Amino acid sequence: MNFIITLIILLFILGLIISVHEFGHFIAAKKSGVYVEEFSIGMGPLIFKHKPKKSETTYSLRLLPIGGFVAMSEREEDDKKIKKDRVLENKGFLKQFWVFINGIVFNFLLAMVIFFISGLIFGRPIENSIVAGVPQDYPAYQSGIEVGDEIIKVNGVNIDTYYDFSVEVNAKKSKNEYTLTVKKIDGSIKEIVIKPIVEKINNEEVKRFGVSFKTQYKKGLGQALIYSIEGVVDTTVKIWDTLVMLFTRQISTKNLSGPVGMYSIIDSARSNGFINILYITAYLSINVGIINLFPIPVFDGGRILILCIEKILKRKTSKDLEIGLNLVGFGLMILLMIFVTFNDIARLFGG
């Protein structure tokens, strides 16, 4: 039963994020005067469709709740029955750019709304790196770390929050020992060398230091508004920093997750409360937005790149070239999906 509930939550989150993304494209296309034949929530076999009177667009619901699509007139040769001024490629640069970028914008807006709702319900989280708990059976207690101490550096890297701490000790390449710079309760600074305990959780090795950090929450409409912006900015920076660390090999590619890993994350978040589900949804929405900015064919960023090249060269790319680039991009996406799914399975079975 738990498996089904978690799966439903995962599908709902992915469906919501992708549908909102596609809705962003849809709104921009309609406002720009582009002919839109269909806007669909979900993929696969048709369940329901409705075409309002005097509307050119069919609104549909499909069986698989894993996204959606906008069927619009993009090229003149695709459907010669459509008036030239209703075709996307015949619109000005700014209108085309808006249609391509608006899906990404809506992903960030969705995250902003989610952070605002979370702020209203639970409050705006104020994070720090002050130790709130030190269990006796773990290395931190045995090394002299106490409740109220503040961890300000790990291996010389500045630490402000638990997230910073987690990145340094868990996400980056594994080390046997870690040097923690600790500001004691009396204000003195000490460097403490700790060798973490390695525990296996769900067939995955996790380093345990034995420290926990307390998060405070400030409630109120003003705090929720601040969090709606602050949450988006902070999460965007975290995702960007993670991508930079992946490309510079500070973080192993084994940390990449696919559908199986996402299921595990949602299952863990569900057991830790609704606030974690909200955060994961906002995080994934921003992640989809950022990934779509990549200048790779198939992604919105790739289409924006082609649009910019066309603007500079003052001529349109051929349809065959665009199809070829999209096939290459799609192939790369499939390879990446296979790779991250393999990572998930390897972690699942302790590989």
Side-chain angles (χ1 to χ4, degrees), residues 38 125 208 223 228 235 287 295 334:
E38 182 181 357
R208 295 295 192 194
Q223 295 296 328
S228 69
T235 305
N287 195 59
I334 294 296

Side-chain angles (χ1 to χ4, degrees), residues 32 97 137 251 260 314 322 329 345:
S32 299
F97 181 84
D137 296 332
I251 292 179
V260 179
K314 295 182 179 180
E322 193 170 330
I345 294 171

Side-chain angles (χ1 to χ4, degrees), residues 21-22 25 100-101 104 287-307 322 325-330 332-334 336-337:
H21 179 93
E22 294 300 327
H25 291 310
F100 292 143
I101 200 74
I104 296 168
N287 195 59
V288 167
I290 291 174
I291 295 301
N292 263 282
L293 277 171
F294 281 21
I296 299 171
V298 190
F299 292 149
D300 295 329
R303 304 187 74 180
I304 291 169
L305 177 62
I306 291 172
L307 178 65
E322 193 170 330
L325 290 172
N326 283 333
L327 285 173
V328 170
F330 186 73
L332 291 172
M333 281 182 62
I334 294 296
L336 178 61
M337 187 58 68

Side-chain angles (χ1 to χ4, degrees), residues 17-33:
I17 291 169
I18 300 172
S19 294
V20 167
H21 179 93
E22 294 300 327
F23 187 68
H25 291 310
F26 170 74
I27 287 293
K30 294 290 276 188
K31 293 290 184 182
S32 299

Side-chain angles (χ1 to χ4, degrees), residues 202-250:
N202 296 327
N203 291 319
E204 186 176 353
E205 290 187 349
V206 178
K207 294 188 283 292
R208 295 295 192 194
F209 290 77
V211 291
S212 62
F213 302 92
K214 187 177 181 179
T215 301
Q216 296 177 318
Y217 292 89
K218 290 186 177 181
K219 292 190 174 184
L221 179 61
Q223 295 296 328
L225 286 169
I226 293 171
Y227 188 43
S228 69
I229 299 170
E230 184 180 69
V232 169
V233 172
D234 288 349
T235 305
T236 301
V237 171
K238 287 175 183 177
I239 293 172
W240 180 255
D241 286 346
T242 301
L243 289 171
V244 170
M245 285 188 283
L246 275 169
F247 283 113
T248 56
R249 297 186 178 182
Q250 295 179 63

